[in-house]
Amino acid sequence: MRIRTLTGSLAAVLVMSFPLLSGGQAVAAPSGVPEQSLAARVLTYDASGSAEFRSAVDRGAAVWNESVAAVELRPAASGQRADVRVLADNGWPRALPTGLGGGTVYIGRQAVNQGYDTIRISAHELGHILGLPDRKPGPCSSLMSGSSAGTACTNRYPNAAEKATVEKNFAGALSGTGVTEQAGPTPRAVLIRD
Protein backbone atom coordinates (compact mmCIF):
# COMPACT_ATOMS: atom_id res chain seq x y z
CA MET A 1 0.00 0.00 0.00
CA ARG A 2 2.81 2.44 0.94
CA ILE A 3 4.67 1.76 -2.34
CA ARG A 4 1.49 2.29 -4.35
CA THR A 5 0.87 5.62 -2.55
CA LEU A 6 4.44 6.78 -3.15
CA THR A 7 4.32 5.70 -6.79
CA GLY A 8 1.00 7.51 -7.26
CA SER A 9 2.38 10.64 -5.63
CA LEU A 10 5.51 10.54 -7.76
CA ALA A 11 3.41 10.13 -10.89
CA ALA A 12 1.27 13.12 -9.89
CA VAL A 13 4.35 15.27 -9.35
CA LEU A 14 5.77 14.28 -12.72
CA VAL A 15 2.47 14.99 -14.50
CA MET A 16 2.28 18.42 -12.85
CA SER A 17 5.95 19.15 -13.60
CA PHE A 18 5.93 18.12 -17.25
CA PRO A 19 4.33 21.35 -18.51
CA LEU A 20 7.02 23.35 -16.71
CA LEU A 21 9.81 21.28 -18.23
CA SER A 22 8.39 21.59 -21.72
CA GLY A 23 7.81 25.34 -21.52
CA GLY A 24 4.13 25.22 -20.55
CA GLN A 25 2.37 26.77 -17.61
CA ALA A 26 1.97 25.39 -14.12
CA VAL A 27 -1.47 24.64 -12.74
CA ALA A 28 -2.34 25.62 -9.18
CA ALA A 29 -3.45 22.99 -6.70
CA PRO A 30 -7.20 22.79 -6.08
CA SER A 31 -8.48 25.10 -3.36
CA GLY A 32 -9.54 22.14 -1.22
CA VAL A 33 -5.90 21.17 -0.55
CA PRO A 34 -4.82 22.50 2.87
CA GLU A 35 -1.62 24.53 2.96
CA GLN A 36 0.95 23.85 5.66
CA SER A 37 1.13 26.84 7.94
CA LEU A 38 4.58 28.17 8.57
CA ALA A 39 5.41 29.07 12.14
CA ALA A 40 8.54 30.60 13.57
CA ARG A 41 10.42 28.77 16.29
CA VAL A 42 9.56 30.56 19.52
CA LEU A 43 12.40 31.23 21.94
CA THR A 44 11.53 32.59 25.35
CA TYR A 45 13.69 34.95 27.34
CA ASP A 46 13.72 35.94 30.99
CA ALA A 47 14.85 39.52 31.45
CA SER A 48 13.81 39.77 35.12
CA GLY A 49 17.49 40.02 36.10
CA SER A 50 18.35 42.70 33.57
CA ALA A 51 17.66 45.55 36.02
CA GLU A 52 17.69 48.99 34.35
CA PHE A 53 18.17 47.39 30.92
CA ARG A 54 14.78 45.63 30.80
CA SER A 55 13.31 47.90 28.14
CA ALA A 56 16.53 47.68 26.07
CA VAL A 57 16.33 43.88 26.20
CA ASP A 58 12.70 43.91 25.11
CA ARG A 59 13.57 46.30 22.28
CA GLY A 60 16.57 44.16 21.25
CA ALA A 61 14.27 41.13 21.03
CA ALA A 62 11.79 43.18 19.00
CA VAL A 63 14.58 44.11 16.57
CA TRP A 64 15.11 40.42 15.81
CA ASN A 65 11.36 39.78 15.58
CA GLU A 66 11.10 42.59 13.01
CA SER A 67 14.13 41.33 11.08
CA VAL A 68 13.66 37.56 10.67
CA ALA A 69 10.77 35.17 10.14
CA ALA A 70 12.17 31.81 11.24
CA VAL A 71 12.49 32.62 14.94
CA GLU A 72 10.55 34.75 17.39
CA LEU A 73 11.77 35.96 20.78
CA ARG A 74 9.09 36.27 23.46
CA PRO A 75 9.22 37.06 27.16
CA ALA A 76 8.79 33.89 29.22
CA ALA A 77 5.52 33.51 31.08
CA SER A 78 5.62 33.62 34.85
CA GLY A 79 6.97 30.32 36.13
CA GLN A 80 8.07 29.19 32.65
CA ARG A 81 11.67 28.10 32.15
CA ALA A 82 13.17 30.44 29.56
CA ASP A 83 15.47 29.47 26.70
CA VAL A 84 17.52 32.62 27.32
CA ARG A 85 18.32 34.37 30.59
CA VAL A 86 19.32 38.03 30.44
CA LEU A 87 21.21 39.53 33.37
CA ALA A 88 22.79 42.87 34.17
CA ASP A 89 26.25 43.06 35.71
CA ASN A 90 29.16 45.46 36.03
CA GLY A 91 31.40 43.72 33.48
CA TRP A 92 31.56 43.82 29.70
CA PRO A 93 28.53 42.58 27.69
CA ARG A 94 28.77 38.91 26.73
CA ALA A 95 26.80 35.85 25.75
CA LEU A 96 27.17 32.29 26.96
CA PRO A 97 25.30 30.16 24.41
CA THR A 98 24.41 26.64 25.52
CA GLY A 99 23.35 25.69 22.01
CA LEU A 100 21.45 27.30 19.16
CA GLY A 101 18.64 29.32 20.72
CA GLY A 102 19.65 28.99 24.35
CA GLY A 103 22.01 30.47 26.90
CA THR A 104 22.69 33.48 29.08
CA VAL A 105 23.24 37.08 28.03
CA TYR A 106 24.91 39.67 30.23
CA ILE A 107 24.23 43.35 29.59
CA GLY A 108 27.42 44.74 31.11
CA ARG A 109 27.42 48.20 32.58
CA GLN A 110 31.08 48.71 31.61
CA ALA A 111 30.17 49.20 27.94
CA VAL A 112 27.12 51.28 28.82
CA ASN A 113 29.27 53.53 31.02
CA GLN A 114 31.66 53.96 28.08
CA GLY A 115 28.78 55.22 25.92
CA TYR A 116 27.66 52.16 23.92
CA ASP A 117 23.98 51.98 22.96
CA THR A 118 22.00 49.63 25.23
CA ILE A 119 19.59 48.42 22.55
CA ARG A 120 22.48 47.69 20.16
CA ILE A 121 24.20 45.75 22.96
CA SER A 122 21.05 43.76 23.62
CA ALA A 123 20.37 42.96 19.95
CA HIS A 124 24.05 42.08 19.41
CA GLU A 125 24.21 39.68 22.36
CA LEU A 126 20.91 38.06 21.37
CA GLY A 127 22.48 37.63 17.92
CA HIS A 128 25.04 35.31 19.53
CA ILE A 129 22.22 33.21 20.97
CA LEU A 130 20.77 33.02 17.45
CA GLY A 131 24.07 31.58 16.19
CA LEU A 132 25.97 34.64 14.97
CA PRO A 133 29.68 35.20 15.70
CA ASP A 134 31.40 38.52 16.23
CA ARG A 135 32.52 40.30 13.03
CA LYS A 136 35.42 42.43 14.20
CA PRO A 137 36.58 44.78 13.08
CA GLY A 138 33.45 45.74 11.32
CA PRO A 139 31.38 48.69 10.14
CA CYS A 140 28.44 50.15 12.01
CA SER A 141 26.13 48.58 9.42
CA SER A 142 27.02 45.17 10.88
CA LEU A 143 25.23 44.53 14.16
CA MET A 144 27.76 41.81 14.97
CA SER A 145 30.67 44.24 14.64
CA GLY A 146 29.87 45.06 18.25
CA SER A 147 32.17 47.48 20.01
CA SER A 148 34.55 47.74 17.03
CA ALA A 149 32.06 50.12 15.38
CA GLY A 150 32.62 52.64 18.19
CA THR A 151 30.35 54.41 20.64
CA ALA A 152 28.87 56.68 17.96
CA CYS A 153 27.31 53.64 16.26
CA THR A 154 23.69 53.15 17.27
CA ASN A 155 22.65 50.76 14.47
CA ARG A 156 20.47 48.19 16.18
CA TYR A 157 19.53 46.10 13.17
CA PRO A 158 21.26 43.12 11.57
CA ASN A 159 22.46 43.51 8.00
CA ALA A 160 21.24 41.27 5.15
CA ALA A 161 23.96 38.65 5.67
CA GLU A 162 23.27 38.45 9.42
CA LYS A 163 19.54 38.07 8.80
CA ALA A 164 20.16 35.37 6.20
CA THR A 165 22.38 33.42 8.59
CA VAL A 166 19.75 33.45 11.34
CA GLU A 167 17.06 32.44 8.82
CA LYS A 168 19.26 29.55 7.73
CA ASN A 169 20.05 28.55 11.33
CA PHE A 170 16.34 28.26 12.12
CA ALA A 171 15.07 27.20 8.67
CA GLY A 172 13.81 23.87 10.00
CA ALA A 173 11.30 25.72 12.18
CA LEU A 174 9.54 27.08 9.09
CA SER A 175 9.50 23.74 7.31
CA GLY A 176 8.10 21.98 10.34
CA THR A 177 11.16 19.79 10.82
CA GLY A 178 12.72 21.50 13.82
CA VAL A 179 15.92 23.48 14.03
CA THR A 180 18.57 22.66 11.49
CA GLU A 181 21.98 21.61 12.72
CA GLN A 182 24.91 23.93 12.34
CA ALA A 183 28.16 22.69 10.87
CA GLY A 184 29.87 20.80 13.67
CA PRO A 185 28.73 20.47 17.25
CA THR A 186 27.70 23.53 19.22
CA PRO A 187 29.86 23.99 22.31
CA ARG A 188 27.92 23.78 25.56
CA ALA A 189 29.52 26.81 27.22
CA VAL A 190 31.32 29.28 25.01
CA LEU A 191 32.00 32.76 26.28
CA ILE A 192 31.53 35.35 23.55
CA ARG A 193 32.95 38.68 24.67
CA ASP A 194 32.76 41.93 22.78
Side-chain angles (χ1 to χ4, degrees), residues 118-179:
T118 57
I119 298 171
R120 179 174 166 85
I121 291 169
S122 176
H124 173 93
E125 298 304 337
L126 289 170
H128 289 309
I129 299 297
L130 301 177
L132 296 175
D134 283 319
R135 298 285 184 214
K136 295 181 180 183
C140 182
S141 60
S142 168
L143 176 62
M144 299 314 291
S145 66
S147 62
S148 70
T151 57
C153 178
T154 59
N155 172 41
R156 301 161 175 179
Y157 286 86
N159 64 26
E162 293 162 341
K163 291 179 199 177
T165 299
V166 170
E167 296 285 14
K168 181 180 174 192
N169 288 348
F170 290 90
L174 289 177
S175 67
T177 61
V179 176

Side-chain angles (χ1 to χ4, degrees), residues 49-123:
S50 63
E52 69 269 26
F53 305 119
R54 177 64 188 255
S55 65
V57 172
D58 291 338
R59 186 63 192 122
V63 162
W64 281 108
N65 293 341
E66 295 165 17
S67 300
V68 296
V71 65
E72 180 182 346
L73 295 162
R74 291 185 193 162
S78 179
Q80 177 185 20
R81 183 168 186 220
D83 299 301
V84 182
R85 278 186 343 152
V86 185
L87 305 169
D89 74 357
N90 293 325
W92 194 258
R94 59 205 179 278
L96 296 168
T98 56
L100 184 61
T104 304
V105 166
Y106 292 88
I107 308 296
R109 292 181 182 97
Q110 183 178 354
V112 176
N113 292 340
Q114 290 180 21
Y116 289 95
D117 183 78
T118 57
I119 298 171
R120 179 174 166 85
I121 291 169
S122 176

